[in-house]
Amino acid sequence: MAAVVNGEEREIQKNYWVEHSVDLTVEAMMLDSMASDLDKEERPEVLSLLPSYEGKTVLELGAGIGRFTGELAQKAGKVIALDFIESVVKKNASINGHHKNVEFMCADVTSPDLNFPAESMDLIFSNWLLMYLSDKEVEYIAERFLKWVKVGGYIFFRESCFHQSGDHKRKQNPTHYREPRFYTKIFKECHTTDTSGNSYELSLTGSKCIGAYVRNKKNQNQICWIWQKVANTENDRDFQQFLDNVQYKSNGILRYERIFGQGFVSTGGIDTTKEFIEMLDLKPGQKVLDVGCGIGGGDFYMAENFDVDVVGIDLSVNMISFALERAIGLKCSVEFEVADCTKKSYPDNTFDVIYSRDTILHIQDKPALFRTFYKWLKPGGKVLISDYCRKSGKPSEDFAEYIKQRGYDLHDVETYGKMLRDAGFEEVIAEDRTEQFKEVLRRELERVEKEKEEFIHDFSEEDYNDIVGGWKAKLVRTGSGEQRWGLFFAKKK
């Protein structure tokens, strides 16, 4: 235990918070002069992200002066509000003590003396906590969280990543501004076994930027995660894991980016992006949803050049991790989220534009997705999609095997367009852009072959051969007419 809990670290963090909790105000707790305005916007946003906790037991860690305690108490059966600064706990109790279902505790979450029964919590909630712990303490806490939460229960945490957000001057700042992938890795690799020998792990159900900070500060560094405790199946049980462990491993993403250009993992990179976005006639203040946003290049281009607000979603945790890293310092209104577009919900009439590049090939039920897109768009809203397609008729055995191996769902260009019309869209344009696709592939292949030594130096010879082989195979498939590339544009009435 001594190796995990760092006494010096705990003392530094405690002194830091004793210093910054003299005033016991929202501004002091959030370390930001904009705290009141931010709080009004971000608190309901954070609460809206939580799974249902009505009538359930909630453990709130790092509760502070109770910014969330009272809100949680309104629905929960019981809230245990814990913080390690006594004056802060007393302030919370003075504000929220009238809620009879709240228990206030003064304790350090890393203390071995702090113990809750196994599987006693339905929801563990923390807002800015892990960034005040050492790396080893985060690992230790993740294991404790997994032990304390019930099977099927949830863990929610939100942290400042990469850099400081608040503008309060500080003599010293011992906060750990980590990369988001650190937290994702620690919690994803966490396992526990109960007394009966059953093994459990955490499944990521969501991760996203806090939109209030994107809108108000053009800052993507406020990131939250939602995990669910599930039985350990010990296999790649779902599509998200396939993407992150097979098709879009970190190294694979960086290889794609080398081919397509900085920030891009889709055909033609910035060139096709500029061409296609021009068709959208974007106006300042419009809201764009990018489905399968990859590492964010198209989103940054739209936000920076057209002053639109972009929400980028992707099922791949690795893609979103890179997108968040690429966003540092750009100061643009782009919000990223790990999400499955077939399960995600937005209010009707939310977006002016839905944009998707070479992503929907992964979706089996396209008609249902297009009906959903139609609902999400405002009247007059536009959808623009580029996607892999196939020729009409029965595919060859080789191409059928390729489609199966990749898990794709491909249609001919005409059928694809019909699916959009059947979903209610008007003015549907369905163009076969295969010749453009082949030309782009040739240019990309020529460039990587020209820079062979540099590519091998940065990656490996195996990586080089994989990329060159893959691009040549695409040229064979498109050359035979089997694989096609479609561009689709449509409007909502």
Side-chain angles (χ1 to χ4, degrees):
M1 190 65 64
V4 172
V5 181
N6 185 322
E8 186 181 356
E9 169 94 16
R10 303 316 311 136
E11 192 64 27
I12 289 169
Q13 297 292 356
K14 187 158 190 176
N15 290 338
Y16 176 71
W17 276 107
V18 166
E19 178 191 342
H20 290 286
S21 56
V22 173
D23 293 341
L24 297 177
T25 61
V26 171
E27 285 76 15
M29 294 293 101
M30 293 179 70
L31 299 167
D32 200 307
S33 59
M34 289 177 64
S36 293
D37 290 337
L38 280 168
D39 176 55
K40 284 174 194 162
E41 208 172 321
E42 69 137 39
R43 193 168 9 154
E45 179 183 354
V46 168
L47 291 164
S48 75
L49 298 172
L50 300 181
S52 174
Y53 57 92
E54 202 160 342
K56 296 183 176 178
T57 302
V58 178
L59 174 60
E60 183 191 10
L61 300 170
I65 60 172
R67 204 157 63 91
F68 288 96
T69 306
E71 303 272 10
L72 294 168
Q74 289 177 32
K75 290 184 182 177
K78 180 180 181 181
V79 177
I80 301 168
L82 183 148
D83 203 284
F84 74 149
I85 304 293
E86 192 173 351
S87 61
V88 167
V89 176
K90 286 180 179 175
K91 179 71 172 180
N92 191 1
S94 72
I95 295 170
N96 292 302
H98 62 286
H99 294 289
K100 301 306 177 192
N101 58 338
V102 180
E103 177 185 343
F104 301 93
M105 285 184 70
C106 185
D108 190 317
V109 70
T110 65
S111 171
D113 298 328
L114 178 68
N115 268 311
F116 295 105
E119 300 185 12
S120 59
M121 306 297 170
D122 295 288
L123 170 65
I124 296 177
F125 173 90
S126 73
N127 185 70
W128 291 320
L129 170 71
L130 305 181
M131 59 203 234
Y132 301 115
L133 307 180
S134 70
D135 290 1
K136 282 286 182 190
E137 287 167 348
V138 173
E139 290 181 36
Y140 172 55
I141 287 300
E143 290 170 7
R144 299 190 102 185
F145 283 6
L146 182 55
K147 181 183 169 188
W148 293 340
V149 76
K150 294 177 182 176
V151 178
Y154 292 88
I155 296 164
F156 174 98
F157 61 88
R158 175 269 193 96
E159 304 298 329
S160 298
C161 296
F162 303 121
H163 56 82
Q164 179 179 318
S165 280
D167 58 8
H168 269 207
K169 287 189 168 62
R170 313 171 201 193
K171 293 176 196 169
Q172 51 152 358
N173 187 354
T175 313
H176 300 284
Y177 298 111
R178 300 179 172 99
E179 292 188 352
R181 64 180 70 231
F182 170 84
Y183 295 111
T184 303
K185 184 174 187 290
I186 293 296
F187 280 78
K188 192 175 262 188
E189 293 178 354
C190 201
H191 296 82
T192 191
T193 305
D194 65 14
T195 51
S196 303
N198 300 308
S199 182
Y200 299 97
E201 63 185 3
L202 293 168
S203 173
L204 182 66
T205 64
S207 178
K208 73 182 294 293
C209 303
I210 301 297
Y213 276 75
V214 175
R215 291 185 293 274
N216 291 285
K217 286 178 171 270
K218 302 290 188 287
N219 182 350
Q220 290 82 7
N221 82 321
Q222 296 298 314
I223 299 165
C224 65
W225 289 258
I226 305 160
W227 301 85
Q228 186 176 29
K229 183 173 179 176
V230 297
N232 183 359
T233 55
E234 293 188 342
N235 61 26
D236 286 351
R237 67 184 176 279
D238 59 20
F239 185 48
Q240 183 181 70
Q241 289 191 341
F242 164 74
L243 288 178
D244 284 324
N245 296 332
V246 181
Q247 188 160 6
Y248 298 132
K249 290 165 76 170
S250 294
N251 186 60
I253 292 170
L254 293 173
R255 293 188 327 186
Y256 283 144
E257 186 182 30
R258 173 63 70 89
I259 303 299
F260 297 124
Q262 188 172 356
F264 293 93
V265 288
S266 59
T267 300
I270 187 64
D271 295 333
T272 52
T273 297
K274 284 180 175 179
E275 179 192 349
F276 296 164
I277 286 172
E278 192 175 338
M279 297 171 65
L280 294 170
D281 191 26
L282 295 174
K283 298 287 190 288
Q286 287 187 322
K287 192 159 187 180
V288 179
L289 175 66
D290 183 357
V291 176
C293 64
I295 59 177
D299 302 331
F300 302 136
Y301 175 77
M302 286 187 274
E304 289 176 329
N305 291 279
F306 299 94
D307 196 21
V308 293
D309 299 316
V310 187
V311 176
I313 63 173
D314 203 295
L315 188 58
S316 165
V317 178
N318 291 341
M319 289 286 195
I320 294 296
S321 295
F322 279 116
L324 290 166
E325 289 167 21
R326 301 297 186 272
I328 298 169
L330 292 183
K331 294 289 183 186
C332 58
S333 185
V334 180
E335 188 179 326
F336 291 110
E337 178 174 1
V338 176
D340 183 339
C341 64
T342 65
K343 297 174 183 174
K344 185 69 186 166
S345 64
Y346 293 104
D348 292 358
N349 310 317
T350 295
F351 299 100
D352 298 282
V353 167
I354 295 177
Y355 176 84
S356 181
R357 297 294 309 280
D358 305 345
T359 293
I360 295 173
L361 70 170
H362 294 296
I363 309 300
Q364 300 298 315
D365 192 350
K366 290 179 179 54
L369 182 66
F370 293 157
R371 288 193 296 271
T372 300
F373 283 2
Y374 191 88
K375 288 194 296 182
W376 289 347
L377 281 170
K378 296 175 184 176
K382 302 166 186 175
V383 60
L384 188 145
I385 299 164
S386 73
D387 216 359
Y388 284 17
C389 296
R390 62 179 177 87
K391 70 177 183 182
S392 57
K394 190 178 178 183
S396 67
E397 281 187 26
D398 284 349
F399 193 55
E401 181 57 34
Y402 164 76
I403 294 170
K404 182 182 176 184
Q405 183 261 329
R406 288 284 180 154
Y408 291 163
D409 175 68
L410 303 185
H411 300 269
D412 63 76
V413 173
E414 190 178 321
T415 300
Y416 211 114
K418 185 177 184 300
M419 286 190 286
L420 284 165
R421 278 189 287 274
D422 290 346
F425 286 99
E426 294 185 333
E427 301 178 40
V428 177
I429 297 170
E431 294 182 357
D432 188 321
R433 292 288 189 107
T434 308
E435 289 307 311
Q436 180 183 10
F437 186 59
K438 287 195 282 189
E439 182 55 39
V440 170
L441 287 171
R442 288 190 197 102
R443 283 202 310 268
E444 290 167 346
L445 181 58
E446 185 181 325
R447 191 169 66 247
V448 77
E449 286 180 327
K450 193 175 176 183
E451 299 170 0
K452 178 179 179 179
E453 296 307 317
E454 191 180 342
F455 191 98
I456 291 172
H457 176 268
D458 292 343
F459 295 96
S460 71
E461 190 159 0
E462 183 185 355
D463 288 314
Y464 174 81
N465 292 333
D466 277 352
I467 287 291
V468 169
W471 257 242
K472 285 181 176 177
K474 285 182 200 176
L475 283 167
V476 169
R477 291 193 298 268
T478 52
S480 70
E482 289 258 51
Q483 183 171 335
R484 316 298 295 171
W485 194 49
L487 179 65
F488 307 94
F489 177 84
K491 289 183 181 179
K492 179 175 178 175
K493 293 178 186 175

